[in-house]
Amino acid sequence: MLYLCLEDTFCRIQDRLFRLTDEASGRLHFAVASDKLSDGLIVQLEDYLKEYPDSRLIVIDTLQKVRTASKDNAYASDYGDISLIKDFADRHSLAVIVVHHIRKQNDSDVFNKVSGTTGLTGSADATFVLEQESRASNAAKLYVTGRDTPYQEFTLRFRDCSWELVERKEQEQLAKEAIPDILFRIVNFMQDKGEWTGTATELLDALGETETAANVLTKWMNEYRLGFLLENHIRYDFSRRSSGRMISLAVATDI
């Protein structure tokens, strides 16, 4: 393994190693300086593999230290940098982990927080975003996605210089958790009924729901009609009448 620890000194690296282990593996190699991607980094990595051909992992920490500076086309530059690294990794059948920073501002999609353009995440095989709950907290979330990697979330705790796994959630579980609670209540509501017809407001009244707006309920039912509702044997349809939009629910026995 080669670790390009480009923001540290050998003294800091040694201090961390002493905290992790009494004796590091002889197959672990460090460097605190390298060329940039545009100036010969790939050639340096090729030379390293000639001397240590059994290496299967290279870590570049951080991308900022080796990336190509570009003011003209940032996307092309970002995509090109990661593509160079990916091509090198593919040719030698090894893994390259590139450490990078995330932005501070919030975003509904955590992968949009990766600093730079979408060229970085678009050209990588997989993207991992590690987000600490707060600066003083030892808890964090690790978000994972990739071409051949289904979306996953890991809850982690930092202890004794290593991350411990607290909880792992895969895409199917996360998708289920994203389903609004009121849809589960509709499924239960329909268990002793063959069918039901009325407006969204009337359905909310029948459920005793006061926190959800009628238009929001309609949106959710449209979104999950062919997924969650049908999987739970509830057929959903609607029609427009002079009195408004009418919802039709029926328990399906032929699914």
PDB file of all heavy atoms in Angstrom, residues 16 36 38 66 134 205:
ATOM      1  N   ARG A  16       0.892   9.111  14.439  1.00  0.00           N
ATOM      2  CA  ARG A  16      -0.371   8.397  14.245  1.00  0.00           C
ATOM      3  C   ARG A  16      -0.151   6.888  14.206  1.00  0.00           C
ATOM      4  O   ARG A  16      -0.964   6.118  14.734  1.00  0.00           O
ATOM      5  CB  ARG A  16      -1.039   8.865  12.947  1.00  0.00           C
ATOM      6  CG  ARG A  16      -1.571  10.282  13.025  1.00  0.00           C
ATOM      7  CD  ARG A  16      -2.092  10.736  11.677  1.00  0.00           C
ATOM      8  NE  ARG A  16      -2.534  12.119  11.718  1.00  0.00           N
ATOM      9  CZ  ARG A  16      -2.883  12.827  10.651  1.00  0.00           C
ATOM     10  NH1 ARG A  16      -2.834  12.247   9.453  1.00  0.00           N
ATOM     11  NH2 ARG A  16      -3.283  14.067  10.758  1.00  0.00           N
ATOM     12  N   LYS A  36       2.139  16.857  -9.570  1.00  0.00           N
ATOM     13  CA  LYS A  36       0.715  16.981  -9.847  1.00  0.00           C
ATOM     14  C   LYS A  36       0.337  16.049 -10.993  1.00  0.00           C
ATOM     15  O   LYS A  36       1.209  15.557 -11.722  1.00  0.00           O
ATOM     16  CB  LYS A  36       0.366  18.428 -10.195  1.00  0.00           C
ATOM     17  CG  LYS A  36       0.488  19.392  -9.012  1.00  0.00           C
ATOM     18  CD  LYS A  36      -0.001  20.777  -9.386  1.00  0.00           C
ATOM     19  CE  LYS A  36       0.064  21.735  -8.203  1.00  0.00           C
ATOM     20  NZ  LYS A  36      -0.861  21.329  -7.122  1.00  0.00           N
ATOM     21  N   SER A  38      -0.921  16.739 -13.763  1.00  0.00           N
ATOM     22  CA  SER A  38      -0.521  17.302 -15.054  1.00  0.00           C
ATOM     23  C   SER A  38       0.984  17.333 -15.252  1.00  0.00           C
ATOM     24  O   SER A  38       1.466  17.631 -16.349  1.00  0.00           O
ATOM     25  CB  SER A  38      -1.079  18.723 -15.185  1.00  0.00           C
ATOM     26  OG  SER A  38      -0.617  19.535 -14.101  1.00  0.00           O
ATOM     27  N   VAL A  66      -2.823  17.544  -5.937  1.00  0.00           N
ATOM     28  CA  VAL A  66      -2.334  16.987  -7.202  1.00  0.00           C
ATOM     29  C   VAL A  66      -3.206  17.364  -8.398  1.00  0.00           C
ATOM     30  O   VAL A  66      -2.848  17.059  -9.534  1.00  0.00           O
ATOM     31  CB  VAL A  66      -2.238  15.441  -7.122  1.00  0.00           C
ATOM     32  CG1 VAL A  66      -1.301  15.011  -6.007  1.00  0.00           C
ATOM     33  CG2 VAL A  66      -3.615  14.804  -6.939  1.00  0.00           C
ATOM     34  N   SER A 134     -20.948  17.038  14.194  1.00  0.00           N
ATOM     35  CA  SER A 134     -20.481  18.361  14.610  1.00  0.00           C
ATOM     36  C   SER A 134     -18.983  18.273  14.835  1.00  0.00           C
ATOM     37  O   SER A 134     -18.421  17.175  14.925  1.00  0.00           O
ATOM     38  CB  SER A 134     -21.191  18.834  15.887  1.00  0.00           C
ATOM     39  OG  SER A 134     -20.813  18.029  16.994  1.00  0.00           O
ATOM     40  N   ASP A 205     -59.903  13.108   6.823  1.00  0.00           N
ATOM     41  CA  ASP A 205     -60.854  13.105   7.938  1.00  0.00           C
ATOM     42  C   ASP A 205     -61.098  11.683   8.437  1.00  0.00           C
ATOM     43  O   ASP A 205     -61.153  11.442   9.655  1.00  0.00           O
ATOM     44  CB  ASP A 205     -62.185  13.733   7.503  1.00  0.00           C
ATOM     45  CG  ASP A 205     -62.076  15.237   7.292  1.00  0.00           C
ATOM     46  OD1 ASP A 205     -61.112  15.840   7.825  1.00  0.00           O
ATOM     47  OD2 ASP A 205     -62.933  15.798   6.585  1.00  0.00           O
TER      48      ASP A 205
END
